[in-house]
Amino acid sequence: MLEKRITVFVGAYGSGKTELALNTVQMIAPHYSQVAIADLDIVKPYFRTREFHLRLVQNNVRVIMPTGVMAQADLPALPPEVYGVLQNENIKLILDVGGDDAGATALAQYHSYFVAPHYEMLMVINTCRPFAQNPTEIAELMERIQIRSRLTVTGLVSNTNLGAETTAEVILKGHKITQEVARLTKLPIAFTAVDKRLLAEVSPFLEGEIIPLTRQVLPPWER
């Protein structure tokens, strides 16, 4: 899982990129001497990686994010430290990118630092989101993200969920659509993300790697 030095999560707004970034970076942290996560969300966000800064630091994860007055600003401000971690070959890096093709624009300024085969850009698919409910729509969004980011998507992540309302049926239905996207785009499904509460129920019906998620990104009414 996430064998490349740099892993980028892209996808539709609300597809669960931040949740994936948080879970995966904490999962891999014990296996690397240096791990970092960078918040590249330049679109006005609902959830942001930077809100989980303290928890990540306690898990020996370096967090690259705006500081000072810019930390809470809904402005397209990216920290200069991003360049440093992109160039440092000793750092395992996770990038949490803003939603849709607009959010992926933030990657374009760094595209020269992404050299194959040292990075992977994973398209996160949540078919419960608007405009992400059929393979053609998803493939078209993926193409726009590639154009705006000037990078290439290398794999897919099946991440269909409805937050606390997620059921096994929701996950499996969404996974079938992700499989159709894989066939349409000729890209592999890197892994399926599953709420750990439903892991035992859906695992027998899924092929390939499965990553259990602990819900950390909660809406205000669940906190």
Side-chain angles (χ1 to χ4, degrees):
M1 180 193 73
L2 308 185
E3 295 179 352
K4 307 296 185 180
R5 186 180 76 82
I6 301 172
T7 297
V8 187
F9 289 117
V10 297
Y13 178 76
S15 57
K17 298 178 300 298
T18 296
E19 189 75 89
L20 280 170
L22 289 169
N23 273 264
T24 54
V25 78
Q26 292 173 84
M27 189 181 303
I28 66 175
H31 305 289
Y32 292 88
S33 58
Q34 297 184 70
V35 179
I37 184 170
D39 182 352
L40 300 188
D41 193 346
I42 62 170
V43 180
K44 184 176 181 180
Y46 188 51
F47 298 117
R48 291 185 291 200
T49 300
R50 65 194 76 166
E51 296 174 0
F52 300 87
H53 177 240
L54 180 59
R55 182 186 307 171
L56 293 169
V57 170
Q58 290 173 339
N59 282 276
N60 298 315
V61 175
R62 180 179 173 185
V63 181
I64 310 300
M65 65 178 193
T67 57
V69 295
M70 298 305 296
Q72 300 301 322
D74 291 331
L75 297 172
L78 296 173
E81 289 86 355
V82 174
Y83 290 101
V85 292
L86 283 171
Q87 295 179 77
N88 191 331
E89 297 181 357
N90 296 316
I91 296 178
K92 171 65 177 175
L93 177 62
I94 302 291
L95 296 178
D96 179 18
V97 180
D100 297 333
D101 49 322
T105 302
L107 288 170
Q109 64 185 291
Y110 307 113
H111 81 278
S112 62
Y113 294 95
F114 293 85
V115 180
H118 302 296
Y119 86 94
E120 58 188 345
M121 188 158 82
L122 303 180
M123 177 78 176
V124 181
I125 298 173
N126 180 354
T127 62
C128 292
R129 303 304 301 165
F131 310 110
Q133 298 171 358
N134 69 66
T136 301
E137 289 178 338
I138 296 167
E140 289 174 350
L141 173 59
M142 188 182 80
E143 180 62 24
R144 295 198 302 272
I145 287 173
Q146 291 182 125
I147 291 171
R148 295 289 288 272
S149 68
R150 302 173 68 183
L151 296 171
T152 300
V153 172
T154 60
L156 311 175
V157 175
S158 181
N159 188 45
T160 294
N161 71 88
L162 285 169
E165 305 301 318
T166 306
T167 64
E169 182 181 5
V170 166
I171 294 172
L172 296 175
K173 182 178 179 181
H175 186 69
K176 288 183 178 180
I177 296 175
T178 302
Q179 289 176 316
E180 290 297 323
V181 177
R183 282 190 280 270
L184 182 64
T185 61
K186 297 180 173 57
L187 289 173
I189 297 177
F191 60 87
T192 301
V194 176
D195 189 315
K196 67 177 184 179
R197 298 174 297 115
L198 299 167
L199 190 60
E201 190 173 352
V202 302
S203 293
F205 304 100
L206 296 173
E207 297 179 354
E209 186 165 10
I210 302 172
I211 293 182
L213 298 183
T214 299
R215 292 184 67 231
Q216 301 178 55
V217 182
L218 303 176
W221 55 89
E222 289 188 37
R223 297 177 186 175

